[in-house]
Structure formats: C-alpha cells, structure tokens
Amino acid sequence: MKNLKHQIIHGGLGQIFSYPLKIISADVAWKRLARTVLPVMFALLVIEGLICYFRFTEAQTPSVKYGVLDLGEWNMDKVFEIAGEWEFYWDDLLTHQEIKEGSQVPMFVNAPDKWNHYEINGSSLPGKGRATYRIHVTGAKAGIRHGLRIQSMATAYRLYINGALVAQNGSFGDTEFAPAYAYRPQLGEIIPNNNNFDLVLQVSNNIYAIGGMWEPIIFGTYEKVSAFDRRISIVGASAMTSLIITCLFFLIFFAAQHKEKDMLILSSISILVLLRFLTIGDAALIALLPRTAIGSVGRLEFMTSPWTQFLLLYFVYCAYINLVPKWQVITLLAYSIGLSLFILLFPFDIVTSAYMMINYNLLLVIAIITIHYTRAAWQGREGAPLLLGALCLILLLVFYELFFEDISTGYYLLTNLHFEYMAFVFAQVAVVALRYRRAQELEIAHLKEQIRPHFIHNSLTSIISISRTEPDRARELLVDFSSYLRGFYDYDQDEQVCFSQELELVHAYIALEQARFGEKFRVEYCIEAEDFLLPSLVLQPLVENAFVHGLREKDNGGTVTIYARRMKNAKVCVGVRDDGIGFSIKSIPSRRGVGIENINRRLSRLYRTSLVYLAPEGGGCEVYFEIPYKETIKYEDLAY
C-alpha cells in the first residue's frame, strides 16, 4: 500500500505538477529568445534596408567607364557621386593641356579610392606622393549651371574643368603642421559651352600614410548640389545639437544622483562622439579653431576611437554587475592608454599607417561588448534589449565600413549624422526614462507599504483595548480582522481597485472604531458613484484622520460622512466630511500624519493632483480629491 501511494504521489501526481513547470520554463525560454533575437533582427533589418536603398540609388546614377562619364541618361533631379574608372597619372601634376598634348599613357583605376591600393610594375604605390586624375564628360547640357561638391579629403588638391580652376584644398607640399582652415569641403560650379568637357584633379599628399582621392566628387545641377550641401549642414547641426543636449542631460542627472556613475560615463561617451563628429566629415572643428594644425585634428580623431571603446565596455561593467570580467576592463584601459601615447608621440604618417589596425580592434571590442549585452538581455537585465539593438547597429555599420566601402551620397549623409552612436545615446536616454518610471513604481509601492503597518497597529490597539472588558467581542473582531487582512494583502496584485472594495476596508476600520468607542462615532454614506477605479488604501486614512483629529476631541462625538460623486469634467470626487472640532489653516499640518502625506504623494505621482481641505460653514473639516473617472469592467455570469 505504501509503495502504491509512493508511485501515485511521485509518479502520476508528480508528472501532473511538473507539467505547468515545463510550460513556465518554455515561456521563460521564449521570453529570453525574444529579448536577445528581436533586437539583433531589428538592427539587421535597419542596416539591410539602408544598404539596399544606397545600392539602389547608386545603380541609377551614371558611372565613369574607361575615363569617360556619359551624362546622356542622367536624371537631373538627382545628385550623384562621380565614381568609376578614372585615368590616373602617377608622380605628375598634369594640366588639362599637358594631358592632351603629352604622350603619357594613363592607367585606369577605380576612384575614389586610396592610391596605396594601386600597383605599378607589380609594386604598390606609397602613401606619400602626387598624382593626376582625369575624366572626359560627355552628354552634358550646354548653358545649364552645374555644381560640384568636393568632400573633405584632408589632402591637397586642385580641381580643373577645361583648364579653369574650380576648387582647391590646401597647398602642395603641406605637412601635418599646415593650418586646418585650408582643408574644407568645397562647392564649385561650371556652365559648359557644349555637351562635353574634361575634369582634371591634381592630388598631393605629404601628411598621411595613405594618399589618393579619398572621397567622391558630388555632381549635379548647381541648385541640387547646393541643396545637398545645405542638407549636410542641417544634418550636422542636428547631430551636434542632439549630442550636446544628451551630454548635458547625463551630466545633470549625475549631478543630481552621484551614485549613478553610469550617467557620467554616458556623458563622456557623448563628448567623445561629439569630438569625432567635429573632426571628420565636414570637420566643424576647423570652423571653431581655424588655426589648428591639420595633423592635430587627425590625432584628435584617432584618440576618440580607443577611449570610446573603453567607455562603452566600462559602462557595461558598471551598469550590469558581475557581467564583464574585470580583467577585460583593465586590458582595454591599458590598450587605450598605450594607443593614446602612440598617437601623441609618433610621427603622424606612422600613426595613420595603423589606421586599419585601430579599426579592426574597434570591431573586435564592439563585438565583445555586443556579446555582453546579449548575455544581459538573456538574463533580463533592465534596458539590455534596447541597448543590444543599438550596439548591433554600431557593430554592423563598423563592419560595413571596413569591408564594403560605400561612396554613395546617402551613406555620406548617414556617416555625417553618426547614426550608429546616436542610436546608442538615444537608446540610453530611453533606458533612463524607463528607469525613472520604475523608480516611481517602486516609490509608490513603498508608500503603500508604509500605510499597512500604520493601519494594522491602530487596529490591533483597538482590539487589545476591547479585550480587557469584552473578550468575546474581541475574539469576533479578531476573526473579522483576519478575514480583512487576507483581502488587504490581495492589493499587492493591482495598483488600482474598485471603489466598492476600498469601501469594505473602511467598513472594517469603522467596525473596529465603533467597537472601541461605541455610538460616539456615527457614519453616513452618500455614494452616487461606485463602479470606478481608484488607488488602493486612500480612503481609510481619510476616515481615520476624521475620527482622530475631528471627533475624538469632541465631547459628544459626531458624524463622519463619506461621499463619492461623478463630476461633469469626466472625473470623480471622493471625500470625507466630519462635524468635529474643525481646524484653522495653521493646524492643517497637524492633520497630516503618515497616511495623509502618503496619499498626497501617491496622488501626485499618479494623477498630478493632491488632497483639498475645506472648512464647512457648520464647523468640522472636509477633505477630498478628484481623479479621472475610470469605470470598472463588469463581468456577466457565464453559462456552461
């Protein structure tokens, strides 16, 4: 018989009770997968959509083939980058006329690109040097004003169209100490006399370990190119403003909450992204500090990379305890310090020769941080899924930039916005907002917990007092009080309860008070609205306040009136009125114990309102509050 019972309990019943646990485990697993997979899929879809859009628009634009750009099928409503097979003359700065009259045989190279990728006689070209690029344009619209925007190449160049100088950048022979103001994006124009012309670009590099035509020349009608130029300025100004605002936001948050170290880290990340924004693309720093050496601007850009990586990892280390090993933080800190010394102390051309190594390390570190965020999301850490999506965007865009060089106008706009880092900063702002909301919820829960011991203590005191003279009555009250407590603690599951439920708690309290003080206290009800929701445990403290401060000090007792009525402004008014000793304005604070202050703070948090005190003409006190009327859901009996 015992063995049979054992089999039933540990066999059949054990399987029955283990089945819900399996369902719960499966549900937890699905939630974990959703927290980790969905952010990654979102980032992939965003990047894939952007890349497809860039490739689609790029495929619709003319390209250079064997040194010829045919504008015959060009849609003049769009600007495009001049890219393709340019004529290339190494170690010569040739003019339009010299190319036409000379006997030099050009090589055809894909440009824009770094000329270090080109080979002559089986050898790669050095970074420093000079060269001439040329294309012949056909199918142009004679007499129409065309525009060209030459991006910031950080190398010296001269751009000629049919021998006329259109734009220039820096001076040939410049070193890293040349003033930065000479290296800015240029906006040029041309009105061709016929349907063809030659475009010649002379490039000289004595600064970087990498030379060549780095960036594309944007071409189109002058109006469209000017509009593109303004768009870049607007995008840049918007990104800069957003970074400054978020940086100040994190700093102010840290100043108010010194324990929130991660806010200081995020502010530092915003500063580094802002510095990177100021030194690449249109290089807004040059406008602020025009006399700065071009090499110093480049060093500053290089410095932002290792420290951004370190702060991103250090943020995860501080924000999510026991997730990132300390040795990783120390290792990356040592790497950042070492790389910073290398950038500051070594010649600039040697520093720039390590450009790809620095970027590969950036990709590796971002990948490690993304793995940490994946673990945090899997564990259900606060805000981790949102930040995981942002880190995936950074990882994918860094990977795309390293292995898939994109020179499209759309991608250029995206890089000017620093889309990936902006996504991380904005994601963190959202996480701070969620954290603030969670803090509010915890504070409200704490305020509710303050009421419970306060009420229970007073109720037990009343029962103890009755037990001295009426033990049977005290036992009855303890039974009622026990039943009341079961309902009382059910409120943990819901912030709002039906008014009728709240009224039951009031009935229980009144029964205890009347059992203690007899008919000295009378209660009247004026309930015109009942089926609505309100925060739990807000009415009983008001009734208690009326008994304690209004009626107990009155010799012949008095009456407490509890009312609830619906207002015309889609609100409901709930209040308690007594005809006790009354109060003066100065005595209001004495009527505000733990419960009353608690209610005020909860009403302020939930509805941006508070309790209102009135002194009725007949004496006594009235206190009420108004909240939005939200009707309870009524469930009809179900027939089976």
Side-chain angles (χ1 to χ4, degrees):
M1 181 65 69
K2 290 183 179 179
N3 291 336
L4 180 61
K5 288 182 179 179
H6 180 82
Q7 291 176 4
I8 292 174
I9 293 173
H10 296 282
L13 292 180
Q15 292 179 1
I16 291 173
F17 286 113
S18 66
Y19 181 70
L21 294 178
K22 291 179 180 179
I23 294 177
I24 293 173
S25 300
D27 182 58
V28 171
W30 277 111
K31 287 182 178 179
R32 286 180 171 178
L33 284 174
R35 290 196 299 262
T36 53
V37 174
L38 289 181
V40 177
M41 291 182 62
F42 173 76
L44 285 170
L45 288 173
V46 170
I47 298 300
E48 184 179 359
L50 290 172
I51 293 173
C52 289
Y53 173 75
F54 297 152
R55 297 299 186 187
F56 175 75
T57 54
E58 184 181 7
Q60 294 180 315
T61 58
S63 61
V64 182
K65 297 178 181 179
Y66 296 105
V68 177
L69 175 64
D70 186 1
L71 300 178
E73 297 181 358
W74 166 46
N75 181 359
M76 297 181 63
D77 290 333
K78 295 182 179 180
V79 299
F80 67 94
E81 64 282 357
I82 301 178
E85 300 169 327
W86 289 61
E87 293 180 9
F88 181 74
Y89 304 88
W90 172 245
D91 202 28
D92 272 316
L93 298 177
L94 303 176
T95 65
H96 164 69
Q97 194 64 29
E98 288 173 337
I99 293 175
K100 290 184 67 175
E101 296 176 354
S103 58
Q104 296 93 333
V105 178
M107 54 185 292
F108 292 96
V109 297
N110 285 319
D113 196 1
K114 306 168 185 64
W115 62 39
N116 305 58
H117 295 167
Y118 308 152
E119 291 185 357
I120 295 181
N121 298 326
S123 300
S124 298
L125 298 181
K128 293 184 177 181
R130 57 184 186 172
T132 302
Y133 298 81
R134 173 185 178 268
I135 59 171
H136 179 67
V137 180
T138 63
K141 306 295 183 182
I144 294 179
R145 192 183 186 196
H146 294 73
L148 304 98
R149 188 182 194 274
I150 303 92
Q151 320 288 50
S152 179
M153 297 186 190
T155 53
Y157 67 78
R158 299 285 185 275
L159 178 64
Y160 297 90
I161 293 181
N162 282 346
L165 182 63
V166 175
Q168 62 181 9
N169 201 53
S171 300
F172 294 157
D174 276 346
T175 65
E176 65 170 290
F177 304 104
Y181 70 85
Y183 291 82
R184 296 297 306 277
Q186 306 289 331
L187 187 63
E189 64 175 291
I190 176 178
I191 303 177
N193 296 324
N194 48 51
N195 64 353
N196 62 82
F197 57 86
D198 284 350
L199 188 152
V200 175
L201 180 69
Q202 300 174 350
V203 178
S204 173
N205 173 48
N206 291 302
I207 300 175
Y208 287 82
I210 301 170
M213 186 198 304
W214 291 7
E215 303 285 351
I217 297 173
I218 305 299
F219 184 84
T221 64
Y222 188 81
E223 291 76 13
K224 296 297 181 181
V225 174
S226 298
F228 178 80
D229 184 70
R230 288 193 300 271
R231 200 177 310 138
I232 289 179
S233 299
I234 293 171
V235 166
S238 301
M240 185 185 301
T241 303
S242 300
L243 286 169
I244 292 173
I245 291 174
T246 51
C247 178
L248 291 175
F249 168 76
F250 291 134
L251 281 176
I252 293 171
F253 199 104
F254 174 74
Q257 300 285 342
H258 291 292
K259 294 182 180 180
E260 302 286 348
K261 186 191 296 185
D262 49 350
M263 294 298 103
L264 183 61
I265 300 172
L266 288 169
S267 180
S268 302
I269 293 174
S270 299
I271 291 173
L272 288 173
V273 176
L274 180 61
L275 287 175
R276 184 171 178 81
F277 168 81
L278 291 173
T279 54
I280 68 173
D282 284 0
L285 182 66
I286 297 175
L288 300 174
L289 301 171
R291 292 292 175 181
T292 306
I294 189 65
S296 299
V297 176
R299 290 179 193 273
L300 183 59
E301 176 202 342
F302 277 84
M303 290 279 285
T304 61
S305 179
W307 290 108
T308 301
Q309 300 169 50
F310 169 73
L311 289 176
L312 285 172
L313 182 67
Y314 189 54
F315 171 78
V316 188
Y317 176 79
C318 294
Y320 301 112
I321 306 300
N322 300 325
L323 188 67
V324 179
K326 191 174 183 179
W327 68 266
Q328 290 186 8
V329 178
I330 296 174
T331 301
L332 191 55
L333 176 61
Y335 165 75
S336 301
I337 294 173
L339 184 57
S340 299
L341 292 175
F342 169 74
I343 293 170
L344 290 173
L345 301 178
F346 278 73
F348 191 59
D349 57 337
I350 296 178
V351 172
T352 55
S353 66
Y355 176 75
M356 292 305 296
M357 181 271 293
I358 294 173
N359 280 338
Y360 287 136
N361 286 341
L362 170 64
L363 184 65
L364 174 62
V365 173
I366 296 298
I368 292 173
I369 297 172
T370 304
I371 292 172
H372 288 315
Y373 271 114
T374 304
R375 291 175 55 210
W378 180 266
Q379 297 171 7
R381 301 289 188 96
E382 185 181 36
L386 196 59
L387 296 175
L388 172 61
L391 255 294
C392 286
L393 285 176
I394 296 177
L395 178 65
L396 292 171
L397 281 173
V398 171
F399 182 85
Y400 181 71
E401 185 176 351
L402 281 176
F403 298 103
F404 302 93
E405 293 188 357
D406 195 330
I407 56 174
S408 64
T409 55
Y411 185 72
Y412 188 78
L413 282 171
L414 190 68
T415 55
N416 269 264
L417 183 60
H418 290 285
F419 171 74
E420 64 274 34
Y421 291 103
M422 295 292 289
F424 176 81
V425 172
F426 289 148
Q428 187 54 57
V429 171
V431 170
V432 172
L434 292 174
R435 187 186 302 179
Y436 177 73
R437 179 183 176 184
R438 176 61 178 161
Q440 283 188 313
E441 293 174 351
L442 291 174
E443 181 178 0
I444 290 174
H446 174 67
L447 293 173
K448 288 173 62 178
E449 292 301 324
Q450 285 182 332
I451 290 182
R452 288 176 174 146
H454 180 68
F455 174 74
I456 293 171
H457 174 267
N458 291 343
S459 301
L460 290 175
T461 301
S462 299
I463 295 173
I464 292 170
S465 177
I466 294 171
S467 68
R468 295 171 183 169
T469 56
E470 299 180 69
D472 293 336
R473 176 62 174 155
R475 281 193 294 270
E476 292 175 2
L477 290 174
L478 279 174
V479 172
D480 292 337
F481 187 58
S482 176
S483 300
Y484 157 73
L485 284 179
R486 283 195 293 269
F488 191 83
Y489 282 99
D490 282 344
Y491 283 173
D492 282 336
Q493 304 302 320
D494 196 358
E495 176 59 36
Q496 291 186 319
V497 297
C498 181
F499 177 74
S500 58
Q501 293 177 269
E502 185 75 4
L503 208 55
E504 290 178 7
L505 296 179
V506 173
H507 291 326
Y509 173 77
I510 291 172
L512 290 169
E513 288 295 299
Q514 287 181 334
R516 181 179 178 185
F517 295 100
E519 297 301 322
K520 182 179 179 180
F521 296 154
R522 296 173 297 278
V523 181
E524 295 180 354
Y525 298 92
C526 184
I527 309 300
E528 300 175 9
E530 189 171 355
D531 295 325
F532 64 90
L533 295 175
L534 79 168
S536 60
L537 307 178
V538 295
L539 187 56
Q540 180 273 329
L542 299 183
V543 176
E544 180 182 349
N545 193 59
F547 280 146
V548 174
H549 297 287
L551 301 183
R552 282 187 186 176
E553 299 181 18
K554 191 175 180 181
D555 295 335
N556 58 348
T559 302
V560 172
T561 302
I562 301 169
Y563 63 86
R565 59 178 179 268
R566 190 170 179 180
M567 312 293 287
K568 292 183 179 180
N569 57 355
K571 291 186 177 182
V572 62
C573 179
V574 180
V576 175
R577 183 171 58 249
D578 67 72
D579 56 2
I581 62 172
F583 69 97
S584 63
I585 298 299
K586 293 182 179 179
S587 68
I588 290 180
S590 66
R591 284 186 167 237
R592 295 186 176 181
V594 173
I596 299 301
E597 285 300 324
N598 193 303
I599 293 170
N600 257 328
R601 293 177 66 183
R602 292 170 64 201
L603 290 174
S604 175
R605 290 286 190 189
L606 294 170
Y607 307 110
R608 296 291 184 247
T609 187
S610 63
L611 295 173
V612 178
Y613 282 85
L614 296 177
E617 293 183 0
C621 174
E622 181 177 354
V623 57
Y624 71 90
F625 60 87
E626 293 182 6
I627 60 174
Y629 180 84
K630 186 177 182 182
E631 190 173 3
T632 56
I633 300 175
K634 298 180 180 179
Y635 295 94
E636 303 295 333
D637 293 336
L638 298 177
Y640 294 93

